[in-house]
């Protein structure tokens, strides 16, 4: 599928090696998702935050076929949200109800928490190509996504973590800015040192506005105001769906001849739509007959 200009990821440490950071600028990724899924303003912010978190966590993937799947299933009107990342800094996402809009909060900010729901389950699945993928679940604590994943890091991985995710939607409903910053304490860092960092960053202006107004390096200078930092790696990232006709054909062949026959009888043409990129694949009755015959030959 077509990709917009690349988003950007930078990684590094403070010079005293007490903290590591992963900073993702994801405006292009979130705008692509908005266009694909025709999201409401609040839905744009929600899926944008989850996609950004997938980009950040996806930087830990090393194997060529490694993948990461993040799922949020809250009790709000959004339904299920999914983001998938791979080791090539590709990400794709899906949300069950992109059309739903809800009122903003009293402070005029988008109410992502109410959209997702304040209760539910956050799921992290890492597939390293082993027999079974690594799976972890954590409760949704606010629905604001950054707070939910910070809770996940603290409780499931026991890593003191500061995480901020932001999406700023413009007056024309396009994405003006989007990104996320993860800062984690390295082993041996004292609680008071991490508290000093938290106190510094909590006194800063809104992260989304910083993304719109400043470069990534200038934002890091604000967050690491009391210490120097060093960027050690930089990568591009993009919204990319790896669906293909071959994969869809394999999926159709796997559902069984009874289901294929039912589709053949009910529809002149069977259309399959990819939930991540909305690409449509169409198959005739003759195609379905061929799939059934190929299944019979193999069986």
């Amino acid at each position: 599928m077509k990709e917009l200009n690349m988003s950007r990821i930078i990684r590094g440490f403070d010079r005293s090696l007490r903290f590591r950071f992963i900073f993702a600028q994801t405006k292009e990724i979130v705008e692509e998702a908005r266009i694909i899924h025709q999201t409401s303003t609040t839905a744009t912010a929600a899926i944008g935050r989850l996609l950004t978190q997938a980009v950040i966590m996806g930087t830990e993937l090393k194997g060529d076929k490694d993948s990461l799947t993040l799922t949020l299933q809250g009790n709000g009107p959004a339904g299920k949200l999914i983001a998938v990342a791979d080791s090539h800094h590709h990400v794709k996402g899906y949300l069950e109800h992109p059309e739903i809009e809800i009122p903003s909060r009293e402070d005029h900010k988008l109410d992502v928490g109410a959209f997702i729901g304040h209760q539910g389950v956050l799921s992290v699945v890492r597939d390293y190509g082993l027999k079974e993928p690594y799976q972890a679940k954590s409760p949704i604590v606010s629905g604001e996504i950054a707070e939910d994943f910070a809770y996940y890091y603290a409780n499931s991985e026991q890593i003191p973590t500061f995480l901020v995710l932001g999406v700023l939607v413009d007056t024309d409903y396009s994405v003006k800015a989007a990104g996320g910053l993860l800062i984690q304490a390295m082993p041996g860092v004292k609680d008071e040192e991490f508290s000093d960092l938290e106190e510094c960053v909590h006194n800063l202006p809104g992260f989304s506005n910083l993304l719109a107004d400043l470069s990534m390096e200038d934002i890091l200078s604000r967050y690491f105001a009391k210490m120097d930092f060093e960027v050690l790696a930089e990568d591009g990232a993009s919204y990319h769906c790896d669906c293909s006709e071959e994969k869809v054909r394999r999926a159709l062949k796997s559902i069984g001849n009874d289901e294929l026959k039912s589709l053949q009888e009910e529809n002149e043409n069977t259309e399959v739509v990819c939930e991540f990129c909305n690409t449509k694949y169409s198959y005739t009755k003759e195609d379905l007959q061929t799939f059934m015959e190929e299944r019979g030959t193999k069986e």
Side-chain angles (χ1 to χ4, degrees):
M1 63 175 288
K2 177 180 177 291
E3 296 178 7
L4 298 179
N5 293 331
M6 299 284 278
S7 290
R8 185 182 177 208
I9 313 164
I10 56 178
R11 290 170 282 168
F13 296 85
D14 74 296
R15 292 189 184 275
S16 63
L17 299 181
R18 291 176 296 170
F19 304 100
R20 72 158 189 158
F21 67 83
I22 304 171
F23 192 176
Q25 182 283 114
T26 56
K27 173 184 174 180
E28 296 79 10
I29 287 172
V30 181
E31 176 66 3
E32 179 83 334
R34 181 192 73 84
I35 293 170
I36 289 170
H37 298 298
Q38 293 294 289
T39 46
S40 71
T41 303
T42 308
T44 298
I47 193 62
R49 291 182 191 181
L50 189 63
L51 286 167
T52 300
Q53 180 61 19
V55 169
I56 290 172
M57 296 182 76
T59 61
E60 306 294 334
L61 302 173
K62 304 302 180 185
D64 188 57
K65 295 184 179 180
D66 290 359
S67 67
L68 167 82
T69 301
L70 306 180
T71 304
L72 287 174
Q73 180 69 72
N75 62 347
K80 182 183 292 185
L81 285 81
I82 298 173
V84 181
D86 64 22
S87 59
H88 304 286
H89 309 300
H90 295 147
V91 65
K92 60 184 180 181
Y94 162 80
L95 67 166
E96 198 169 355
H97 295 295
E99 77 286 352
I100 291 179
E101 185 62 281
I102 62 172
S104 297
R105 301 181 337 196
E106 290 185 0
D107 60 4
H108 305 297
K109 293 184 178 180
L110 297 174
D111 199 346
V112 173
F115 182 68
I116 299 293
H118 304 304
Q119 294 180 323
V121 177
L122 177 160
S123 171
V124 177
V125 178
R126 294 182 175 92
D127 189 345
Y128 300 120
L130 303 175
K131 192 171 183 180
E132 295 291 337
Y134 167 80
Q135 300 184 53
K137 292 184 178 180
S138 178
I140 290 173
V141 295
S142 73
E144 292 290 334
I145 303 181
E147 294 174 13
D148 302 309
F149 276 96
Y151 183 87
Y152 161 80
Y153 282 118
N155 289 274
S156 297
E157 301 190 0
Q158 285 81 51
I159 304 174
T161 300
F162 171 82
L163 175 65
V164 58
L165 303 168
V167 175
L168 187 62
V169 181
D170 213 337
T171 54
D172 64 355
Y173 306 110
S174 66
V175 178
K176 187 174 183 179
L181 175 61
L182 173 98
I183 302 175
Q184 290 184 320
M186 299 299 290
V189 171
K190 298 177 181 178
D191 290 343
E192 55 267 26
E193 292 180 285
F194 195 75
S195 297
D196 288 344
L197 175 65
E198 286 184 315
E199 182 180 353
C200 174
V201 299
H202 282 138
N203 291 328
L204 292 173
F207 181 66
S208 298
N209 290 321
L210 289 177
L211 286 168
D213 296 336
L214 300 175
S215 69
M216 296 176 76
E217 289 77 9
D218 287 342
I219 293 172
L220 284 172
S221 295
R222 299 277 189 99
Y223 276 80
F224 288 96
K226 295 182 179 181
M227 62 191 85
D228 291 329
F229 68 89
E230 183 175 0
V231 175
L232 299 180
E234 179 174 343
D235 295 288
S238 62
Y239 193 105
H240 175 81
C241 183
D242 57 349
C243 72
S244 66
E245 187 170 5
E246 179 183 353
K247 288 183 177 181
V248 175
R249 283 174 175 264
R250 284 205 305 266
L252 283 171
K253 291 178 185 179
S254 71
I255 66 174
N257 281 359
D258 289 342
E259 289 83 356
L260 286 171
K261 190 170 183 178
S262 177
L263 289 172
Q264 190 183 46
E265 292 172 351
E266 292 173 4
N267 307 288
E268 190 64 33
N269 287 288
T270 296
E271 186 175 79
V272 178
V273 182
C274 175
E275 62 186 8
F276 292 105
C277 67
N278 282 340
T279 299
K280 296 178 175 61
Y281 299 89
S282 184
Y283 299 93
T284 65
K285 291 184 176 184
E286 289 74 19
D287 290 328
L288 299 185
Q289 184 64 37
T290 299
F291 297 161
M292 286 188 283
E293 291 171 358
E294 290 176 352
R295 278 182 54 85
T297 300
K298 290 181 179 179
E299 292 173 356

